[in-house]
Every structure is written in C-alpha cells, then in structure tokens.
Amino acid sequence: GPLFFLIELIMYDILIIGSGPAGYVAAIRAAQLGMTVACVEKGFVGGTCLNIGCIPSKTLLDTSLKHYKLVNEYSEHGIEAKDVRIDLHKMMFRKEEVIKQLTTGVEALFKSNKVNLINGSARIIGNSYVEVQSDDGNTKLEAKNIIIATGSSPSELEEIKIGNHVVDNEGALKFQTIPKSIAVIGAGVIGLELGSLWSRLGSHVTVIEAQKEFLPMLDQRISRQASREFINQGLDIKLGCETLKVKENSNGLDISFNYKNEEIALEVEKIILAVGRKPNTKDLFSGDLLTIDEKGFIEVDEYCQTSVKNIWAIGDVVRGPMLAHKASEEGVMVVERIAKKEAVLNYKHIPNVIYTHPEVAWVGLNASQLEEQEVDFKSGYFPFLANGRALASGESIGSVYITADNETDKILGLQVFGPSAAEIVQQGLIAMDNGVTSEDFSKTIFSHPTVSEALHEAILSMNNKAIHIQNKKKIN
Ligand code: FAD
Ligand code: NAI
C-alpha cells in the first residue's frame, strides 16, 4: 500500500483525467482561458489516438499503400519496379518517430500553457476530490471542476482472449514479422483498416463479420462499391458468420465458423480482434457518484455534464461516435461552458472516415435513414469514372452520393467512396454547417481538373443539371 498520503494545497480550476484527444485539447483550451489546470495520465500522453490508434494506424497504412501501389498499380503507368522489398523494422521505426514527434509536441504545449501533467492513475473520491495513485505514493487533489476523459479499450469475446497469437489494435500495430495469414474478427472500421494494412504487405487476410450487411451506415450504392473493391484488393470478407470457434495449435490458430450454412475451417498465424470498444470506467469513482448506462458509458447531457454539476465527461467514455475529433470538440465545448461561454456541438454533423484505399467518408444521414424519418429529399450521384483528374491518376473507383431537403434545398448528407473522400466530405460539411443550399453550392466554381469536381457534379445532378453524366429525373 501507499507509504504516505500527500494533500496538494492547490485548488485547480479544472482537473482532467486522461490525456487523449479529449483530455489534452480540453487542458490546453482551459489554460488559454486563464484557468489553473492539471491533467492526470496513467499511461502515455496522447492516449489511444496518438499512441496505438489514429496516428500509428495511418502512418503504417500510408506506408503500406505506397508499397501496394508500387507492386500493383505503377506498371499501369509504365513504371516497372523490380525486387521491391519491405523493411518492416524501418517501417515500424518511422511509425515510432511520428508518434514521438506528436506526443512530445503535446507535452511541449502543456509546458508552454502551464498545464500541470501528473503521472498516475486517478480516482474520483468526492465531488471535488481526486486521488492519484503513482509509484511515488498517493496524492489527493482538489478541483472546482473535474473532466473525465478516460477513453475506451478494445472489447473482448468470451471465446477469444488476447494472447500470443490473438491481438487487438495495439498488437496489430507492432507485428515483428509479416504474418502469412490473419483472421480479422469484425468488419468494422478497425478491421478494415488493419486488415488492409497487412493485406497490402502480403498477409492473406480473412475478415470474419457477424452482421449480414457490410458497413450498414453507408448508402447501399456506396457500400456495394466499397465491398467489391476491398475484395478485389485481396480482403476475403465473409459476412453473416456464426458460431466462431478458435483453438490454439503449435503454429498459430485453428478457426472454424458457420458461413452460408457451411462449416469453414481455417488455420491462421494471427487473429486481430476488432469487435468494438468499451468505455474505461473501472475503478474511476467511489460509490454511485455517477451514473453509467447499460453499455458502460458515463451518462451526460448534450453538454457533457454528468448528474454532478461540476463533473463532466467527454470523448470515448460517453455516448456518440468514438472519434478523436468528436472527443476534442467536446473538450473545447466543456471548458468554454465552464468559462461561462456559449458553446454547443452539432452532433448531427460529425464527419466519419475509414482510411482504406480509396477512403470511405460520410456525414449526416444516409438515404434509408432519411426515408425512415419520412424526410422529403432529393439525391445526386456522380462516379469518379467520369472525373478527369481521377482518371488521370488512375484512381477512378468509387463515387459521390449527396442528398438535400426537397423543401429547403439544404444539404442533408454526403457519402463518398473514392480519392480524397475525407477532404471532399469536409467541403460538403462546411456547406452543411452554414445552411448552404444545393442551388448555392452549384454556383461555386471548382478548379479543373480536381477530384472535388465530382462533388460539384453530384450536386448538379441532384437538380438534373449535371454536365458529365446523364441526368435522370429521379435518382435515389
Ligand atoms: P483515449 O485516447 O483513449 O485517451 C484516454 C486516456 O486516459 C488514456 O491515455 C488513458 O491511459 C487515460 N486514462 C484512463 N483511465 C485513467 C485513470 N483512471 N487515470 C489516469 N488516466 C487514465 N478516431 C478518429 O477520429 N480517426 C481515426 O483515424 C482513428 N483511428 C483509430 C484507430 C485505432 C486502431 C483505434 C483503436 C482508434 C482509432 N480512433 C480514430 C478512435 C480514437 O482513437 C478515439 O476516439 C480517441 O482516442 C478518443 O479520445 P479520448 O481522449 O476520449 O480517449
Ligand atoms: P466497429 O463497431 O466499427 O466494428 C466492430 C465490428 O465487429 C462490427 O461490424 C460488428 O458487427 C462486428 N462484431 C462484433 N462482434 C462480433 C463477433 N463476435 N464476430 C464477428 N464480428 C463481430 O468497432 P471497431 O472496428 O472495433 O472500432 C472501434 C471504434 O474505434 C469505432 O467505433 C470507431 O469509431 C473507432 N475507430 C475509428 C477509426 C477512424 O475514424 N478511421 C479507425 C479505427 C477505429
């Protein structure tokens, strides 16, 4: 047990638990607003996102894509490359350097903004008190406001435990050799990104998904194009799988599952478990200070305030999509509200990106959700195959799909599968956030040739004014 119990005499304006994109952004914004801030972190500064999530996955994805293109696409352009080799060690070293650069950047920002970074595990022991456990003993801290930003961890399955051959996102981002075969459990965001990453480097990847539908949040036209392309690239995606069984053998794992009424048996070197994530709330507070919902999230209102007025919770530990930008924006909102500023977050307009190749990106409601809500809407569509820039660079797979309200003409949703999908969705989102109508948007001049012109044409096609595609009176 602890040898001594230190009570710090400072009363912080804000004490933040966790230094992921939710916590560190909140800390910096609070310091900018002149508040005294402490941020407690039990692991690594930057949280999941910077250390074992967004950043390392994108670093390795980008590297693997360069390799994939060199091997599979460059010859189309008349570029022949022989003896292409992967130096996995160097690839991993570079990833570590990128992480280091960003996490030391956050630490430097903490210093310059006078955020007090405290290493240790925090537990809320009263409305205004937090106990921090570290190697140096226990400290009791006092704060006017507490912000919980403890993030999330990978969900596990009863029948498959993390171990030698079974890894989660953390393990899958640091394989020492390229596995010959991998089974990815879950065709969600992590499964598709990490499956693509290793498949591009030569692993045979089988993606085992329980649901029958592929990426159900997408419009069917987009999800069909995406699944066709990922299968083309070599991902063996199996939907609607049941009764998954796993047994370890001396070389790896024996897997069996039911697929389309057939029993499939596979032997693989590794399993990447990617079946969702769960909020981190274990040992976080004493008694029933805060309410946890049935899925384990801390209950908060639309402003991230808990049932205790001066305790707030943001990021992956509360409802809403588990995304870094959502987490950070909640951090800014909460801190500004504490500073008595008017701050709200438009939860309807949170953009999503899956960093496959090409990317999948979307925002707002999809067509079937609009139908369900009985919204009177129109839609526009444009394939990259008819876009000059996409053809020029050999990236013509995919399309843009957009919807707008028939009455107000305001844009309701945007889904893109194709080159620079994330950036294209962002352009549409700026229009959506500012109530731009499809008519207004049509008048914007787009540079030629750019892949963004596909967005322009999709919007034009919504009003039967597209130039480079046949207009239909009604497309849904
Ligand atoms: P976290 O980043 O999880 O940070 C929480 C921090 O709190 C951790 O550092 C933890 O150690 C600390 N902590 C927990 N409990 C305590 C305690 N009791 N005391 C002290 N400290 C504590 N999102 C995107 O938007 N884009 C992406 O491209 C993307 N890619 C991803 C790829 C992968 C492989 C994964 C796993 C996730 C990805 N995400 C991505 C999701 C993103 O990482 C999360 O949404 C984001 O990290 C959530 O931020 P957070 O601050 O709420 O939590
Ligand atoms: P997810 O919810 O996206 O996907 C999990 C998938 O596993 C689902 O399709 C689900 O049906 C399936 N599944 C669940 N149990 C299963 C079982 N027993 N057998 C087979 N399939 C099963 O969760 P994922 O991919 O783990 O990612 C977690 C979170 O991290 C996401 O919610 C996402 O927000 C975030 N993230 C975001 C990224 C991004 O923004 N690019 C990248 C990676 C993660």
Side-chain angles (χ1 to χ4, degrees), residues 138-198:
N138 285 11
T139 315
K140 188 175 164 186
L141 304 175
E142 190 179 1
K144 289 185 195 146
N145 292 281
I146 297 168
I147 302 178
I148 301 169
T150 49
S152 64
S153 313
S155 299
E156 287 188 58
L157 292 180
E158 209 36 66
E159 60 274 27
I160 312 173
K161 295 275 170 243
I162 302 296
N164 262 349
H165 304 292
V166 181
V167 298
D168 55 19
N169 57 291
E170 189 172 1
L173 290 166
K174 52 180 173 212
F175 286 148
Q176 300 287 313
T177 55
I178 299 166
K180 284 199 184 58
S181 52
I182 301 175
V184 176
I185 318 291
V189 194
I190 295 185
L192 291 172
E193 288 188 359
L194 298 184
S196 297
L197 159 58
W198 291 106

Short mmCIF file of all heavy atoms in Angstrom, two decimals, residues 138-198:
data_model
loop_
_atom_site.label_atom_id
_atom_site.label_comp_id
_atom_site.label_asym_id
_atom_site.label_seq_id
_atom_site.Cartn_x
_atom_site.Cartn_y
_atom_site.Cartn_z
N ASN A 138 0.39 8.12 -2.95
CA ASN A 138 -0.92 8.66 -3.29
C ASN A 138 -0.99 10.16 -3.01
O ASN A 138 -0.43 10.63 -2.04
CB ASN A 138 -2.00 7.99 -2.45
CG ASN A 138 -2.28 6.59 -2.95
OD1 ASN A 138 -1.52 6.07 -3.77
ND2 ASN A 138 -3.33 5.99 -2.45
N THR A 139 -1.69 10.85 -3.90
CA THR A 139 -1.87 12.28 -3.71
C THR A 139 -3.35 12.58 -3.81
O THR A 139 -4.06 11.99 -4.62
CB THR A 139 -1.16 13.07 -4.84
OG1 THR A 139 0.13 12.50 -5.03
CG2 THR A 139 -1.03 14.53 -4.48
N LYS A 140 -3.81 13.49 -2.97
CA LYS A 140 -5.20 13.91 -3.06
C LYS A 140 -5.24 15.30 -3.64
O LYS A 140 -4.56 16.21 -3.16
CB LYS A 140 -5.82 13.89 -1.66
CG LYS A 140 -7.31 14.12 -1.65
CD LYS A 140 -7.84 13.97 -0.22
CE LYS A 140 -9.24 14.57 -0.10
NZ LYS A 140 -9.68 14.55 1.31
N LEU A 141 -6.00 15.46 -4.73
CA LEU A 141 -6.07 16.76 -5.40
C LEU A 141 -7.48 17.32 -5.26
O LEU A 141 -8.46 16.58 -5.21
CB LEU A 141 -5.74 16.61 -6.88
CG LEU A 141 -4.39 15.98 -7.24
CD1 LEU A 141 -4.29 15.80 -8.74
CD2 LEU A 141 -3.24 16.83 -6.72
N GLU A 142 -7.55 18.65 -5.25
CA GLU A 142 -8.85 19.30 -5.17
C GLU A 142 -9.07 20.18 -6.40
O GLU A 142 -8.14 20.82 -6.89
CB GLU A 142 -8.92 20.18 -3.91
CG GLU A 142 -10.32 20.70 -3.64
CD GLU A 142 -10.41 21.55 -2.36
OE1 GLU A 142 -9.37 21.75 -1.70
OE2 GLU A 142 -11.52 22.00 -2.07
N ALA A 143 -10.28 20.16 -6.94
CA ALA A 143 -10.56 20.95 -8.14
C ALA A 143 -12.00 21.44 -8.13
O ALA A 143 -12.89 20.77 -7.61
CB ALA A 143 -10.31 20.12 -9.39
N LYS A 144 -12.19 22.63 -8.71
CA LYS A 144 -13.56 23.16 -8.80
C LYS A 144 -14.37 22.35 -9.82
O LYS A 144 -15.57 22.14 -9.65
CB LYS A 144 -13.52 24.63 -9.25
CG LYS A 144 -13.00 25.56 -8.18
CD LYS A 144 -13.11 27.00 -8.64
CE LYS A 144 -12.25 27.90 -7.76
NZ LYS A 144 -11.65 29.01 -8.50
N ASN A 145 -13.69 21.93 -10.88
CA ASN A 145 -14.36 21.12 -11.92
C ASN A 145 -13.50 19.92 -12.27
O ASN A 145 -12.28 20.03 -12.34
CB ASN A 145 -14.54 21.94 -13.19
CG ASN A 145 -15.53 23.06 -13.00
OD1 ASN A 145 -16.74 22.86 -13.03
ND2 ASN A 145 -15.01 24.25 -12.77
N ILE A 146 -14.15 18.78 -12.50
CA ILE A 146 -13.42 17.59 -12.91
C ILE A 146 -13.94 17.18 -14.29
O ILE A 146 -15.16 17.14 -14.52
CB ILE A 146 -13.64 16.44 -11.91
CG1 ILE A 146 -13.05 16.83 -10.53
CG2 ILE A 146 -13.02 15.13 -12.41
CD1 ILE A 146 -13.45 15.91 -9.40
N ILE A 147 -13.01 16.91 -15.21
CA ILE A 147 -13.42 16.42 -16.54
C ILE A 147 -12.87 15.01 -16.71
O ILE A 147 -11.66 14.78 -16.65
CB ILE A 147 -12.91 17.32 -17.68
CG1 ILE A 147 -13.41 18.76 -17.50
CG2 ILE A 147 -13.34 16.77 -19.04
CD1 ILE A 147 -12.91 19.73 -18.57
N ILE A 148 -13.77 14.07 -16.94
CA ILE A 148 -13.36 12.67 -17.16
C ILE A 148 -13.13 12.47 -18.66
O ILE A 148 -14.03 12.71 -19.48
CB ILE A 148 -14.45 11.70 -16.67
CG1 ILE A 148 -14.71 11.93 -15.17
CG2 ILE A 148 -14.06 10.26 -16.94
CD1 ILE A 148 -15.94 11.21 -14.66
N ALA A 149 -11.93 12.05 -19.02
CA ALA A 149 -11.60 11.80 -20.44
C ALA A 149 -10.77 10.53 -20.50
O ALA A 149 -9.67 10.51 -21.03
CB ALA A 149 -10.85 12.99 -21.01
N THR A 150 -11.32 9.46 -19.92
CA THR A 150 -10.55 8.22 -19.75
C THR A 150 -10.60 7.30 -20.97
O THR A 150 -9.97 6.24 -20.97
CB THR A 150 -11.04 7.46 -18.51
OG1 THR A 150 -12.47 7.37 -18.57
CG2 THR A 150 -10.64 8.18 -17.23
N GLY A 151 -11.37 7.65 -21.99
CA GLY A 151 -11.31 6.92 -23.25
C GLY A 151 -11.92 5.54 -23.22
O GLY A 151 -12.82 5.23 -22.44
N SER A 152 -11.43 4.67 -24.11
CA SER A 152 -12.01 3.34 -24.27
C SER A 152 -10.93 2.29 -24.50
O SER A 152 -9.78 2.62 -24.75
CB SER A 152 -12.96 3.34 -25.48
OG SER A 152 -12.23 3.60 -26.67
N SER A 153 -11.34 1.04 -24.39
CA SER A 153 -10.43 -0.11 -24.62
C SER A 153 -11.14 -1.11 -25.53
O SER A 153 -12.36 -1.12 -25.62
CB SER A 153 -10.13 -0.83 -23.32
OG SER A 153 -9.78 0.08 -22.33
N PRO A 154 -10.35 -1.99 -26.18
CA PRO A 154 -10.98 -2.97 -27.07
C PRO A 154 -11.91 -3.92 -26.32
O PRO A 154 -11.59 -4.35 -25.22
CB PRO A 154 -9.79 -3.75 -27.64
CG PRO A 154 -8.57 -3.06 -27.22
CD PRO A 154 -8.89 -2.09 -26.15
N SER A 155 -13.05 -4.22 -26.92
CA SER A 155 -13.94 -5.25 -26.36
C SER A 155 -13.31 -6.60 -26.62
O SER A 155 -12.63 -6.80 -27.63
CB SER A 155 -15.30 -5.22 -27.05
OG SER A 155 -15.90 -3.97 -26.86
N GLU A 156 -13.55 -7.54 -25.72
CA GLU A 156 -13.05 -8.90 -25.94
C GLU A 156 -14.24 -9.83 -26.17
O GLU A 156 -15.37 -9.46 -25.95
CB GLU A 156 -12.23 -9.36 -24.73
CG GLU A 156 -10.88 -8.66 -24.67
CD GLU A 156 -9.99 -9.24 -23.60
OE1 GLU A 156 -9.71 -10.45 -23.65
OE2 GLU A 156 -9.59 -8.47 -22.70
N LEU A 157 -13.95 -11.02 -26.63
CA LEU A 157 -15.01 -12.01 -26.80
C LEU A 157 -14.78 -13.11 -25.78
O LEU A 157 -13.64 -13.43 -25.45
CB LEU A 157 -14.98 -12.61 -28.21
CG LEU A 157 -15.36 -11.70 -29.38
CD1 LEU A 157 -15.29 -12.46 -30.69
CD2 LEU A 157 -16.75 -11.12 -29.18
N GLU A 158 -15.88 -13.63 -25.30
CA GLU A 158 -15.84 -14.73 -24.32
C GLU A 158 -14.92 -15.84 -24.82
O GLU A 158 -14.07 -16.33 -24.10
CB GLU A 158 -17.29 -15.25 -24.17
CG GLU A 158 -17.66 -15.86 -22.85
CD GLU A 158 -17.03 -15.19 -21.63
OE1 GLU A 158 -17.33 -14.02 -21.32
OE2 GLU A 158 -16.20 -15.88 -20.99
N GLU A 159 -15.07 -16.21 -26.11
CA GLU A 159 -14.38 -17.38 -26.64
C GLU A 159 -12.98 -17.08 -27.17
O GLU A 159 -12.22 -17.99 -27.47
CB GLU A 159 -15.24 -18.04 -27.74
CG GLU A 159 -15.56 -17.16 -28.96
CD GLU A 159 -16.80 -16.27 -28.81
OE1 GLU A 159 -17.14 -15.90 -27.67
OE2 GLU A 159 -17.42 -15.94 -29.85
N ILE A 160 -12.62 -15.78 -27.32
CA ILE A 160 -11.30 -15.45 -27.87
C ILE A 160 -10.61 -14.42 -26.99
O ILE A 160 -11.03 -13.26 -26.92
CB ILE A 160 -11.41 -14.88 -29.31
CG1 ILE A 160 -12.31 -15.77 -30.16
CG2 ILE A 160 -10.04 -14.76 -29.95
CD1 ILE A 160 -12.60 -15.21 -31.52
N LYS A 161 -9.56 -14.84 -26.33
CA LYS A 161 -8.86 -13.93 -25.43
C LYS A 161 -7.55 -13.46 -26.06
O LYS A 161 -6.88 -14.20 -26.79
CB LYS A 161 -8.55 -14.65 -24.11
CG LYS A 161 -9.79 -15.04 -23.33
CD LYS A 161 -10.29 -13.88 -22.46
CE LYS A 161 -11.66 -14.14 -21.87
NZ LYS A 161 -12.70 -13.21 -22.30
N ILE A 162 -7.19 -12.23 -25.79
CA ILE A 162 -5.92 -11.68 -26.27
C ILE A 162 -4.78 -12.53 -25.71
O ILE A 162 -4.78 -12.90 -24.54
CB ILE A 162 -5.76 -10.21 -25.80
CG1 ILE A 162 -6.91 -9.34 -26.29
CG2 ILE A 162 -4.41 -9.63 -26.23
CD1 ILE A 162 -7.02 -9.17 -27.78
N GLY A 163 -3.83 -12.90 -26.56
CA GLY A 163 -2.72 -13.73 -26.11
C GLY A 163 -1.60 -13.72 -27.12
O GLY A 163 -1.41 -12.73 -27.83
N ASN A 164 -0.87 -14.83 -27.19
CA ASN A 164 0.27 -14.95 -28.09
C ASN A 164 -0.06 -14.64 -29.54
O ASN A 164 0.64 -13.89 -30.21
CB ASN A 164 0.78 -16.40 -28.05
CG ASN A 164 1.96 -16.49 -27.11
OD1 ASN A 164 2.49 -15.46 -26.69
ND2 ASN A 164 2.35 -17.71 -26.79
N HIS A 165 -1.12 -15.27 -30.02
CA HIS A 165 -1.45 -15.16 -31.45
C HIS A 165 -2.68 -14.31 -31.68
O HIS A 165 -3.02 -14.02 -32.82
CB HIS A 165 -1.69 -16.56 -32.04
CG HIS A 165 -0.53 -17.48 -31.84
ND1 HIS A 165 0.67 -17.28 -32.46
CD2 HIS A 165 -0.39 -18.57 -31.06
CE1 HIS A 165 1.51 -18.23 -32.09
NE2 HIS A 165 0.89 -19.02 -31.23
N VAL A 166 -3.35 -13.93 -30.60
CA VAL A 166 -4.55 -13.10 -30.73
C VAL A 166 -4.24 -11.70 -30.24
O VAL A 166 -3.85 -11.52 -29.09
CB VAL A 166 -5.72 -13.68 -29.91
CG1 VAL A 166 -6.97 -12.82 -30.09
CG2 VAL A 166 -6.00 -15.13 -30.30
N VAL A 167 -4.37 -10.71 -31.14
CA VAL A 167 -4.01 -9.35 -30.76
C VAL A 167 -5.18 -8.39 -30.96
O VAL A 167 -6.11 -8.69 -31.70
CB VAL A 167 -2.80 -8.82 -31.58
CG1 VAL A 167 -1.56 -9.64 -31.33
CG2 VAL A 167 -3.13 -8.79 -33.07
N ASP A 168 -5.11 -7.25 -30.28
CA ASP A 168 -6.05 -6.17 -30.55
C ASP A 168 -5.31 -5.12 -31.40
O ASP A 168 -4.26 -5.41 -31.96
CB ASP A 168 -6.61 -5.59 -29.23
CG ASP A 168 -5.50 -5.13 -28.30
OD1 ASP A 168 -4.37 -4.92 -28.78
OD2 ASP A 168 -5.76 -4.99 -27.10
N ASN A 169 -5.87 -3.90 -31.46
CA ASN A 169 -5.23 -2.87 -32.28
C ASN A 169 -3.78 -2.60 -31.87
O ASN A 169 -2.92 -2.36 -32.71
CB ASN A 169 -6.05 -1.57 -32.24
CG ASN A 169 -6.23 -1.04 -30.82
OD1 ASN A 169 -6.95 -1.65 -30.03
ND2 ASN A 169 -5.60 0.06 -30.50
N GLU A 170 -3.52 -2.68 -30.57
CA GLU A 170 -2.18 -2.37 -30.10
C GLU A 170 -1.17 -3.38 -30.66
O GLU A 170 -0.16 -3.00 -31.25
CB GLU A 170 -2.16 -2.38 -28.56
CG GLU A 170 -0.86 -1.86 -28.02
CD GLU A 170 -0.89 -1.68 -26.50
OE1 GLU A 170 -1.93 -1.97 -25.86
OE2 GLU A 170 0.15 -1.25 -25.96
N GLY A 171 -1.48 -4.67 -30.52
CA GLY A 171 -0.59 -5.71 -31.02
C GLY A 171 -0.47 -5.70 -32.53
O GLY A 171 0.60 -5.94 -33.10
N ALA A 172 -1.59 -5.40 -33.19
CA ALA A 172 -1.60 -5.44 -34.66
C ALA A 172 -0.81 -4.30 -35.28
O ALA A 172 -0.54 -4.30 -36.47
CB ALA A 172 -3.04 -5.41 -35.18
N LEU A 173 -0.46 -3.31 -34.46
CA LEU A 173 0.33 -2.19 -34.98
C LEU A 173 1.81 -2.37 -34.67
O LEU A 173 2.61 -1.48 -34.90
CB LEU A 173 -0.17 -0.86 -34.39
CG LEU A 173 -1.55 -0.42 -34.90
CD1 LEU A 173 -2.13 0.70 -34.05
CD2 LEU A 173 -1.46 0.03 -36.35
N LYS A 174 2.16 -3.55 -34.13
CA LYS A 174 3.59 -3.78 -33.91
C LYS A 174 4.03 -5.22 -34.14
O LYS A 174 4.92 -5.72 -33.45
CB LYS A 174 4.02 -3.26 -32.54
CG LYS A 174 3.23 -3.73 -31.36
CD LYS A 174 3.86 -3.07 -30.12
CE LYS A 174 3.07 -3.31 -28.88
NZ LYS A 174 3.13 -2.23 -27.91
N PHE A 175 3.44 -5.90 -35.12
CA PHE A 175 3.95 -7.21 -35.52
C PHE A 175 5.43 -7.08 -35.89
O PHE A 175 5.83 -6.12 -36.55
CB PHE A 175 3.19 -7.74 -36.73
CG PHE A 175 1.79 -8.24 -36.42
CD1 PHE A 175 0.78 -8.12 -37.38
CD2 PHE A 175 1.49 -8.84 -35.21
CE1 PHE A 175 -0.51 -8.58 -37.12
CE2 PHE A 175 0.20 -9.31 -34.94
CZ PHE A 175 -0.79 -9.17 -35.89
N GLN A 176 6.23 -8.06 -35.50
CA GLN A 176 7.67 -8.03 -35.79
C GLN A 176 7.98 -8.62 -37.15
O GLN A 176 9.03 -8.36 -37.74
CB GLN A 176 8.43 -8.82 -34.71
CG GLN A 176 8.24 -8.29 -33.30
CD GLN A 176 8.99 -7.00 -33.08
OE1 GLN A 176 10.15 -6.88 -33.43
NE2 GLN A 176 8.30 -6.00 -32.51
N THR A 177 7.08 -9.50 -37.61
CA THR A 177 7.23 -10.06 -38.96
C THR A 177 5.85 -9.96 -39.62
O THR A 177 4.84 -9.79 -38.94
CB THR A 177 7.64 -11.54 -38.92
OG1 THR A 177 6.68 -12.24 -38.11
CG2 THR A 177 9.02 -11.73 -38.32
N ILE A 178 5.83 -10.07 -40.94
CA ILE A 178 4.54 -10.00 -41.63
C ILE A 178 3.89 -11.38 -41.55
O ILE A 178 4.42 -12.36 -42.08
CB ILE A 178 4.75 -9.58 -43.10
CG1 ILE A 178 5.38 -8.19 -43.14
CG2 ILE A 178 3.43 -9.61 -43.87
CD1 ILE A 178 5.93 -7.78 -44.49
N PRO A 179 2.75 -11.48 -40.87
CA PRO A 179 2.10 -12.79 -40.74
C PRO A 179 1.68 -13.32 -42.12
O PRO A 179 1.26 -12.56 -42.97
CB PRO A 179 0.86 -12.50 -39.89
CG PRO A 179 1.11 -11.19 -39.25
CD PRO A 179 1.99 -10.42 -40.18
N LYS A 180 1.82 -14.64 -42.30
CA LYS A 180 1.40 -15.23 -43.59
C LYS A 180 -0.11 -15.16 -43.72
O LYS A 180 -0.63 -14.92 -44.80
CB LYS A 180 1.86 -16.69 -43.65
CG LYS A 180 3.33 -16.81 -43.93
CD LYS A 180 3.66 -18.21 -44.44
CE LYS A 180 5.16 -18.33 -44.63
NZ LYS A 180 5.90 -18.07 -43.35
N SER A 181 -0.79 -15.41 -42.61
CA SER A 181 -2.25 -15.40 -42.66
C SER A 181 -2.81 -14.77 -41.39
O SER A 181 -2.28 -14.97 -40.30
CB SER A 181 -2.76 -16.83 -42.78
OG SER A 181 -2.16 -17.61 -41.77
N ILE A 182 -3.88 -14.01 -41.60
CA ILE A 182 -4.52 -13.32 -40.47
C ILE A 182 -6.03 -13.48 -40.61
O ILE A 182 -6.57 -13.36 -41.70
CB ILE A 182 -4.21 -11.81 -40.48
CG1 ILE A 182 -2.69 -11.55 -40.40
CG2 ILE A 182 -4.92 -11.10 -39.33
CD1 ILE A 182 -2.32 -10.07 -40.54
N ALA A 183 -6.69 -13.77 -39.48
CA ALA A 183 -8.15 -13.65 -39.46
C ALA A 183 -8.47 -12.39 -38.66
O ALA A 183 -8.00 -12.23 -37.53
CB ALA A 183 -8.79 -14.87 -38.81
N VAL A 184 -9.21 -11.49 -39.29
CA VAL A 184 -9.66 -10.30 -38.59
C VAL A 184 -11.09 -10.55 -38.15
O VAL A 184 -11.93 -10.91 -38.99
CB VAL A 184 -9.60 -9.06 -39.51
CG1 VAL A 184 -10.16 -7.84 -38.80
CG2 VAL A 184 -8.17 -8.79 -39.97
N ILE A 185 -11.36 -10.44 -36.86
CA ILE A 185 -12.74 -10.63 -36.40
C ILE A 185 -13.38 -9.25 -36.30
O ILE A 185 -12.97 -8.43 -35.48
CB ILE A 185 -12.80 -11.33 -35.02
CG1 ILE A 185 -11.80 -12.49 -34.91
CG2 ILE A 185 -14.23 -11.76 -34.70
CD1 ILE A 185 -12.10 -13.67 -35.76
N GLY A 186 -14.40 -9.02 -37.14
CA GLY A 186 -15.09 -7.74 -37.17
C GLY A 186 -14.74 -6.95 -38.42
O GLY A 186 -13.58 -6.60 -38.63
N ALA A 187 -15.73 -6.70 -39.28
CA ALA A 187 -15.51 -5.89 -40.49
C ALA A 187 -15.95 -4.47 -40.24
O ALA A 187 -16.68 -3.87 -41.03
CB ALA A 187 -16.25 -6.49 -41.68
N GLY A 188 -15.55 -3.92 -39.09
CA GLY A 188 -15.84 -2.52 -38.78
C GLY A 188 -14.66 -1.67 -39.22
O GLY A 188 -13.87 -2.07 -40.09
N VAL A 189 -14.55 -0.50 -38.60
CA VAL A 189 -13.52 0.45 -39.01
C VAL A 189 -12.13 -0.11 -38.78
O VAL A 189 -11.27 -0.09 -39.67
CB VAL A 189 -13.70 1.78 -38.25
CG1 VAL A 189 -12.87 2.86 -38.91
CG2 VAL A 189 -15.15 2.19 -38.22
N ILE A 190 -11.88 -0.62 -37.57
CA ILE A 190 -10.55 -1.14 -37.27
C ILE A 190 -10.23 -2.36 -38.12
O ILE A 190 -9.14 -2.49 -38.67
CB ILE A 190 -10.42 -1.49 -35.76
CG1 ILE A 190 -10.55 -0.21 -34.93
CG2 ILE A 190 -9.09 -2.20 -35.47
CD1 ILE A 190 -10.33 -0.38 -33.45
N GLY A 191 -11.19 -3.27 -38.25
CA GLY A 191 -10.98 -4.48 -39.03
C GLY A 191 -10.59 -4.17 -40.47
O GLY A 191 -9.65 -4.77 -41.01
N LEU A 192 -11.28 -3.21 -41.08
CA LEU A 192 -10.98 -2.89 -42.48
C LEU A 192 -9.64 -2.17 -42.62
O LEU A 192 -8.87 -2.43 -43.54
CB LEU A 192 -12.10 -2.06 -43.09
CG LEU A 192 -13.42 -2.83 -43.27
CD1 LEU A 192 -14.53 -1.90 -43.69
CD2 LEU A 192 -13.25 -3.96 -44.28
N GLU A 193 -9.36 -1.26 -41.67
CA GLU A 193 -8.09 -0.53 -41.77
C GLU A 193 -6.90 -1.47 -41.52
O GLU A 193 -5.96 -1.52 -42.31
CB GLU A 193 -8.07 0.63 -40.77
CG GLU A 193 -8.99 1.77 -41.19
CD GLU A 193 -8.85 3.04 -40.35
OE1 GLU A 193 -8.04 3.07 -39.38
OE2 GLU A 193 -9.56 4.01 -40.64
N LEU A 194 -6.95 -2.20 -40.42
CA LEU A 194 -5.80 -3.05 -40.10
C LEU A 194 -5.72 -4.26 -41.03
O LEU A 194 -4.63 -4.72 -41.37
CB LEU A 194 -5.83 -3.48 -38.63
CG LEU A 194 -5.74 -2.31 -37.63
CD1 LEU A 194 -5.69 -2.81 -36.20
CD2 LEU A 194 -4.53 -1.43 -37.92
N GLY A 195 -6.87 -4.76 -41.48
CA GLY A 195 -6.88 -5.83 -42.47
C GLY A 195 -6.22 -5.37 -43.76
O GLY A 195 -5.38 -6.07 -44.33
N SER A 196 -6.56 -4.16 -44.22
CA SER A 196 -5.96 -3.61 -45.44
C SER A 196 -4.46 -3.44 -45.26
O SER A 196 -3.68 -3.78 -46.15
CB SER A 196 -6.55 -2.24 -45.77
OG SER A 196 -7.92 -2.33 -46.03
N LEU A 197 -4.08 -2.91 -44.11
CA LEU A 197 -2.67 -2.66 -43.85
C LEU A 197 -1.82 -3.92 -44.07
O LEU A 197 -0.85 -3.91 -44.83
CB LEU A 197 -2.52 -2.14 -42.40
CG LEU A 197 -1.19 -2.25 -41.69
CD1 LEU A 197 -0.10 -1.54 -42.45
CD2 LEU A 197 -1.31 -1.66 -40.30
N TRP A 198 -2.21 -5.02 -43.45
CA TRP A 198 -1.39 -6.24 -43.53
C TRP A 198 -1.57 -6.97 -44.85
O TRP A 198 -0.64 -7.59 -45.35
CB TRP A 198 -1.61 -7.13 -42.31
CG TRP A 198 -1.05 -6.45 -41.10
CD1 TRP A 198 -1.75 -5.84 -40.10
CD2 TRP A 198 0.34 -6.23 -40.82
NE1 TRP A 198 -0.89 -5.25 -39.21
CE2 TRP A 198 0.39 -5.47 -39.61
CE3 TRP A 198 1.54 -6.57 -41.45
CZ2 TRP A 198 1.61 -5.08 -39.04
CZ3 TRP A 198 2.73 -6.18 -40.88
CH2 TRP A 198 2.77 -5.44 -39.69
#
